[in-house]
Amino acid sequence: MNPSQAKKRFLETSQHWLADLHKYDADKMSIKPTKKQWCMAELYDHLMKVANTYQLPNFHLCLENGDKLKARKNLRARIIFDLQLLPYRKMKLESFPEEIANSFTPEIKKKPDLLSQFERWIKLVEEESLRLDKIDMAVKHFHPLFGWINAIEWFSLIEIHIRHHTRQKQRIEKLVFNK
């Protein structure tokens, strides 16, 4: 994937999610389908937290002090990044190391706060995308699931993560918002 494709995919996907967020009933944003499932507010918060605490910092490592490596991403990463196929796999935060799980754990926020935060977050990521034009593809940083990935792949992971949660979003819409 090239920088312009990565930017375009992020903007399309995030704008779609933003439009949906505008439509949701504020009173239903904090309703959980079951005790163990997230509500819609938590889902949106989770996407921003993962990007802000993990994906963007690793993107920055590739830009600022990553290693030039011949090391490659693994087969799973090639399927996702190169073929643009997104296998469906449920993942539980409990399966991650505690410090990562804690930073990814979402909070329930009121719709007006969530809307303004999500809009600011989209602008932040869009601003970060401007740095993609100046990357060295050989500079990589390690991802525990994907192996050694470059800055474009770290950036693309933000949009891929949003798409990964699409089924969960649809399930919440069906059970809570009757869509």
Side-chain angles (χ1 to χ4, degrees):
M1 181 177 297
N2 67 42
S4 61
Q5 289 171 318
K7 293 175 197 178
K8 182 180 180 208
R9 286 189 77 123
F10 171 77
L11 286 175
E12 287 172 356
T13 303
S14 62
Q15 289 300 323
H16 176 78
W17 279 59
L18 178 61
D20 287 347
L21 181 55
H22 277 283
K23 295 176 192 173
Y24 296 137
D25 181 336
D27 294 332
K28 294 183 177 181
M29 290 291 297
S30 62
I31 297 173
K32 295 176 179 251
T34 69
K35 288 181 183 180
K36 293 188 177 188
Q37 292 180 339
W38 290 344
C39 64
M40 194 63 80
E42 288 172 306
L43 178 57
Y44 275 81
D45 188 56
H46 169 75
L47 296 173
M48 293 183 286
K49 280 188 173 177
V50 171
N52 293 338
T53 65
Y54 190 64
Q55 294 155 339
L56 285 172
N58 283 293
F59 168 72
H60 293 146
L61 284 174
C62 287
L63 297 174
E64 295 155 10
N65 63 355
D67 297 318
K68 282 194 177 195
L69 300 167
K70 291 185 181 180
R72 296 179 163 199
K73 58 189 173 248
N74 60 31
L75 178 60
R76 179 184 296 146
R78 287 196 302 268
I79 290 169
I80 291 171
F81 293 113
D82 300 345
L83 300 177
Q84 292 296 304
L85 298 174
L86 191 57
Y88 181 68
R89 180 178 169 206
K90 285 186 180 183
M91 299 178 85
K92 299 284 184 192
L93 280 181
E94 299 82 33
S95 64
F96 289 89
E98 188 175 347
E99 72 177 54
I100 292 175
N102 289 341
S103 65
F104 291 178
T105 301
E107 300 171 40
I108 298 175
K109 298 179 178 177
K110 299 284 185 203
K111 183 178 176 180
D113 296 334
L114 197 58
L115 258 171
S116 65
Q117 288 175 9
F118 200 71
E119 288 170 343
R120 280 195 316 269
W121 176 73
I122 291 170
K123 286 180 184 174
L124 167 78
V125 176
E126 188 176 8
E127 287 170 11
E128 291 288 346
S129 75
L130 300 175
R131 300 175 77 183
L132 286 169
D133 295 324
K134 301 172 183 119
I135 66 156
D136 181 341
M137 297 284 281
V139 177
K140 300 175 183 178
H141 192 67
F142 186 75
H143 186 286
L145 292 177
F146 304 128
W148 294 94
I149 61 176
N150 64 38
I152 290 177
E153 291 159 339
W154 276 105
F155 182 86
S156 297
L157 202 49
I158 299 167
E159 187 272 338
I160 290 166
H161 184 232
I162 296 171
R163 279 190 293 126
H164 166 76
H165 283 283
T166 299
R167 287 186 186 168
Q168 180 181 13
K169 179 174 166 279
Q170 291 168 341
R171 191 171 50 253
I172 297 169
E173 287 173 341
K174 182 179 177 183
L175 296 170
V176 175
F177 296 92
N178 301 317
K179 288 189 176 200

